Structures are given as C-alpha cells and as structure tokens.
Amino acid sequence: MESGGGAIVNISSMAGLRASVDSLAYGASKWAVTGMSKTATVELARKGIRVNSIHPGLIETPMVEDVPINKEGIIRRTPQGRIAQAEEVARMALFLISDESSYLTGSEFMIDGGLNAL
C-alpha cells in the first residue's frame, strides 16, 4: 500500500471451485483460498491492490507421484489430453502480477486443459 498498489496471486486448485470425491480436507482448504482471495479483493481494491487466484488441475510435480490418483484417467478426460507443467502456472502468475493485467481483480483462473469445461 505504501508504494501505491500491487498484486497478490493466490494458488488454489480446481478443488477450490468444484467438489471432488475423497478430498474433504484438501477441498476445504482450497475453497478457503478462494474465499480469502475474494474477500481480499473487496478490502484492497480501493488501495490499488489487485487479488486473483489460480486454480490448477493436475500439474506434473513430485506431489502427483505421491498421491493415489488415476493420473492416466484424468489425462484421458482432459480435453487437451495432457497434464500441465509447473511453468504454465508460473507464466499465469507472472501475467497476473504484471501491468498487462491491470484491470483483473477478484477473478479465478483455471489452468486445467479444459477439464472444468466438461
């Protein structure tokens, strides 16, 4: 606020926008990030601070290897037929903190290869 504004980007998950089976605690934490982002938007917008959230689907990370999921089934259901790379999420975050997104605030950005469109 002292510098005249800024941007906050919170990382949530698809689970922060839609329910999924067997993920009550995870889903609740991601919905909390979504709600926190919306509330922060309302509280900070007039102070020149933008707040958005990114909601990735399956991302190729070490965490994916440790979670008991049907990775191939998710890939088959995803319209783009693949999972995302971490760099794709990073590029979205860079865009959201840049001046190129100066009128974007209070929004959720899905990075899921079209899976949520189904």
Side-chain angles (χ1 to χ4, degrees):
M1 287 184 280
E2 292 175 11
S3 66
I8 297 170
V9 177
N10 292 313
I11 307 296
S12 182
S13 166
M14 278 179 52
L17 295 175
R18 62 187 262 190
S20 54
V21 176
D22 297 327
S23 62
L24 182 63
Y26 182 78
S29 70
K30 298 308 177 179
W31 279 90
V33 172
T34 303
M36 178 185 70
S37 299
K38 293 287 194 182
T39 300
T41 294
V42 173
E43 292 180 359
L44 299 174
R46 299 278 174 152
K47 296 175 181 171
I49 299 172
R50 298 178 293 107
V51 182
N52 292 291
S53 55
I54 297 175
H55 299 262
L58 194 58
I59 306 295
E60 190 69 56
T61 66
M63 182 180 110
V64 170
E65 303 307 319
D66 297 333
V67 177
I69 57 172
N70 181 354
K71 184 175 165 182
E72 294 307 316
I74 293 170
I75 291 170
R76 276 194 306 277
R77 287 192 323 271
T78 301
Q80 285 192 331
R82 65 179 182 85
I83 62 176
Q85 299 299 307
E87 292 80 12
E88 292 171 298
V89 178
R91 283 194 297 271
M92 174 58 80
L94 286 172
F95 170 70
L96 290 172
I97 63 171
S98 77
D99 290 340
E100 299 296 315
S101 64
S102 63
Y103 200 61
L104 298 177
T105 193
S107 296
E108 299 94 12
F109 294 89
M110 297 290 295
I111 299 180
D112 68 351
L115 188 58
N116 198 51
L118 300 176

